[in-house]
Amino acid sequence: MPSTSESLVIPASVAEVWRAVTDLENAHLWNQAWQRVEYLAGQREGVGAAFRAYNEEGIGHNFRISEWAPEEYVAFAPVKDEPDEESYLITMQSQAFRLQAVEDGATNVILMANVSGRGLRGWFASRFVWPAYQRQGLRAALEHLHDLFAPPEEEEDEGEDDRAGPSPPSPLPPAGEG
């Protein structure tokens, strides 16, 4: 089964990173493909917990947690219930996080993905095209996860350069408006 992975050191403890990657209702903060996640039953953690992840078009896909080792490893597998699934050249089998403590209280996060290919074209694509494409998505997810824990950037002193003029207005409406 073809697989690929990316890793990144996150400036947070294993426990903090674990909470972020297993808090699926807030997965949109690090996984841009999942705009919204809802649990399909009362179970929210451990093997068997099922959820539906919606993309930005509002299309939902069902997943379940297929492996669970607290603060070490968690894998998400798509639920194979789509009738036209056999028409896909490449089918996602799982995505998983492995967390490893490193120096200074940081965590090395390895994000992995596995697929299967259907037919000769699927076999070729899953081995020679998909890995590079998928690594881009894995890297983006890790960078967003990293940003959740990165210290806020220090703001410049207001008096440093008055030539720049006033700050542009915020693109977000004040709380309570919208």
Side-chain angles (χ1 to χ4, degrees):
M1 178 180 331
S3 64
T4 191
S5 65
E6 283 288 319
S7 66
L8 186 64
V9 174
I10 306 290
S13 70
V14 168
E16 292 171 306
V17 175
W18 178 259
R19 279 191 299 275
V21 300
T22 59
D23 176 12
L24 297 176
E25 289 174 314
N26 287 306
H28 66 279
L29 298 173
W30 54 265
N31 184 343
Q32 301 303 298
W34 293 354
Q35 298 298 306
R36 180 172 60 90
V37 172
E38 62 185 32
Y39 287 95
L40 299 176
Q43 182 181 352
R44 294 176 174 260
E45 58 183 43
V47 172
F51 61 95
R52 183 175 260 278
Y54 294 89
N55 64 20
E56 61 187 24
E57 289 87 30
I59 299 169
H61 298 280
N62 292 344
F63 294 85
R64 69 177 186 80
I65 296 175
S66 57
E67 297 182 58
W68 180 275
E71 296 188 9
E72 182 182 332
Y73 188 82
V74 61
F76 310 109
V79 174
K80 311 278 188 208
D81 61 356
E82 298 179 24
D84 62 344
E85 200 169 276
E86 292 181 13
S87 66
Y88 298 135
L89 287 179
I90 298 173
T91 304
M92 179 65 65
Q93 297 300 310
S94 70
Q95 286 191 320
F97 284 91
R98 179 170 306 283
L99 309 181
Q100 302 166 327
V102 295
E103 296 175 5
D104 300 327
T107 303
N108 184 44
V109 180
I110 303 165
L111 181 52
M112 302 159 276
N114 301 301
V115 298
S116 61
R118 183 176 160 271
L120 184 58
R121 290 186 335 175
W123 180 90
F124 180 82
S126 68
R127 284 162 176 78
F128 299 107
V129 178
W130 171 81
Y133 175 78
Q134 183 64 34
R135 276 194 302 274
Q136 292 174 17
L138 299 177
R139 179 51 111 187
L142 288 173
E143 289 172 356
H144 288 295
L145 183 62
H146 179 277
D147 292 347
L148 292 177
F149 297 102
E153 294 181 21
E154 292 184 25
E155 296 195 19
E156 296 180 25
D157 290 339
E158 288 187 22
E160 280 187 26
D161 189 359
D162 292 333
R163 291 173 292 166
S167 299
S170 171
L172 300 175
E177 294 183 22

